[in-house]
Amino acid sequence: MKANTLSKVVQYRGTELNTKGWQQEAALRMLMNNLHPDVAEHPEELVVYGGIGKAARNWESFDAIVRSLKELENDETLLIQSGKPVAVFKSHTNAPRVLIANSNIVPAFANWDTFHELDKKGLMMYGQMTAGSWIYIGSQGIVQGTYETFAELAKQHFGESLKGTITLTAGLGGMGGAQPLAVTMAGGVCIGIDVDESRIDRRIETRYTDVKTDSLDEAIRLAEKAKKDGIALSIGLLGNAAEILPEMIARGFTPDVLTDQTSAHDPLNGYIPTGMTLETAAELRSADAEEYVKRSKASMAKHVSAMIEMMDKGAITFDYGNNIRQVAKDEGVERAFDFPGFVPAYIRPQFCEGKGPFRWVALSGDPEDIRKTDEVILREFSYNTHLCNWIKMAQEKIQFQGLPSRICWLGYGERARFGKIINDMVASGELSAPIVIGRDHLDSGSVASPNRETEAMKDGSDAVSDWPILNAMINAVGGATWVSFHHGGGVGMGYSQHAGMVIVADGTKDAEERIERVLTTDPGMGVVRHADAGYDLAIQTARDKGIKIPMLEG
Ligand code: NAD
């Protein structure tokens, strides 16, 4: 069965089309890429990352999506409802080829119970952020954001780098697996706990983690020695975080930096309760989901309580976007929100300038195409030393997973400029095939998520989700190749709404115009959203760049 289904995932490469145009081809290749065995965490279940974030609702839907994309005309638009293709309408050539709505539930019903009920009936799937919107690029997609976070943390607390510090975290999954690499890139030592050995092995194979151990004592010994010697080192430690943190406290160990990226946003599928193996957890999950969730939440409460204890002992502690504080708070941990989320603590100023996890993918499959675009970044953005350092480090340390791709945080103005350059390079033949340009939903103007991207907004507008809806609509109007609107990504059902966009640079004049429009409105929404909330940097950016905001004073 497994072999059968996976054989449907075909990795198309080169310049030959399997569809009626490069826009459809891009959607097809990116869907397949999301499920590439080197990219997806559980491709045989259509699961890409982030707990049960899927690319299609089931294999029948997958087949129908592939068929539809292959037949789709250049003036048609395919509609996807929670991973299932539901309609093809005639639109026009500059309209999106695909519109996607995933996991959306009417607000009063928007919780995991309703979701699981609908999921069981075959009416819904969990799209996470880039899983159901076909722009996941493996762990690289998050590495730079994670690096930006740790680099900013280092700047705020330790001078310029993490050298001579130990960061403790848990969760070495699709996204969390970027943490050890980002910490070592910032010069530090990382202990990354994961309860699933295969996840640690995968991070070692892809060079995101240096060594592994199942001994807590050995992990502490290795980490303290590297810290003393000022050496960057990442250690994968096998175990359950909710058990190991209290043991560390008992041994008198306090890390310098502390966070967590287990899939706590999904207590049923993303978090392993204490006292269980992966096997016993799987048995309980299918036999008694309610009991599983109860144990899982109780374990998260222990986990967060231990984090607070370590914070009190001096560890710089932050939430890394998995909603674990909310679960602990609901379980009665009064001080759960005593440590901040990573966005207000380290990232928001970047959002004010429309900066976020911009990415591009070589549809040719040829790494040389990405190398050439890297060179452009180094040349065109040479004034941005931090960005250029990132590109050089990425060239050296990032192993491509699936289609070659690159991520870098570009802001308003920069994205449109770079997009045009890429399109010109495709037109001139310098690049061997079109390039897909997209981003994470975790971006400056595309998310409403009060425990994450919009935590502690200056004007209290944390829960206002008009912004991502406007983001999706303006990007669709501008002619993005596909646009998505999801619920529950990152932090789980009920806690977020967010939009995605992807646009193809196929070298045509039409594409150039679409790129100019969409890569302006998309980061523009980030600047506008933060200017509206009263952030001076966003207001200044809007003024400097001439973004029209009708009610901006002065
Ligand atoms: P994933 O499901 O691929 O990986 C989660 C990992 O946690 C797995 O390897 C699992 O074995 C491990 N785990 C579960 N329970 C554990 C426990 N008790 N102790 C130790 N390890 C345990 O998920 P992912 O894609 O890596 O995402 C992780 C979380 O981070 C999600 O909640 C996701 O929504 C969030 N996220 C944050 C950001 C960000 O930028 N901050 C971005 C994307 C995702």
Side-chain angles (χ1 to χ4, degrees), residues 216-269:
L216 172 55
D217 289 327
E218 191 187 1
I220 293 177
R221 192 178 50 73
L222 287 171
E224 285 183 334
K225 171 145 192 350
K227 172 177 172 164
K228 195 163 137 269
D229 297 345
I231 290 168
L233 177 73
S234 55
I235 303 152
L237 171 60
L238 182 62
N240 189 310
E243 293 166 10
I244 287 187
L245 264 68
E247 281 179 39
M248 286 176 156
I249 294 170
R251 282 167 165 75
F253 173 79
T254 307
D256 300 289
V257 179
L258 173 63
T259 189
D260 171 60
Q261 249 190 74
T262 55
S263 273
H265 70 276
D266 181 350
L268 179 61
N269 301 291

Side-chain angles (χ1 to χ4, degrees), residues 291-311:
E291 173 63 19
Y292 186 99
V293 168
K294 210 171 109 196
R295 289 201 204 178
S296 182
K297 288 180 173 175
S299 304
M300 284 186 220
K302 271 191 226 157
H303 188 160
V304 171
S305 299
M307 289 175 80
I308 292 168
E309 209 175 325
M310 286 178 159
M311 177 183 75

Side-chain angles (χ1 to χ4, degrees), residues 26-53:
L28 179 69
R29 290 192 190 188
M30 290 308 294
L31 166 68
M32 299 296 189
N33 192 56
N34 264 21
L35 293 169
H36 188 296
D38 293 346
V39 176
E41 295 296 311
H42 298 293
E44 66 288 351
E45 289 158 28
L46 293 155
V47 168
V48 183
Y49 79 102
I52 50 164

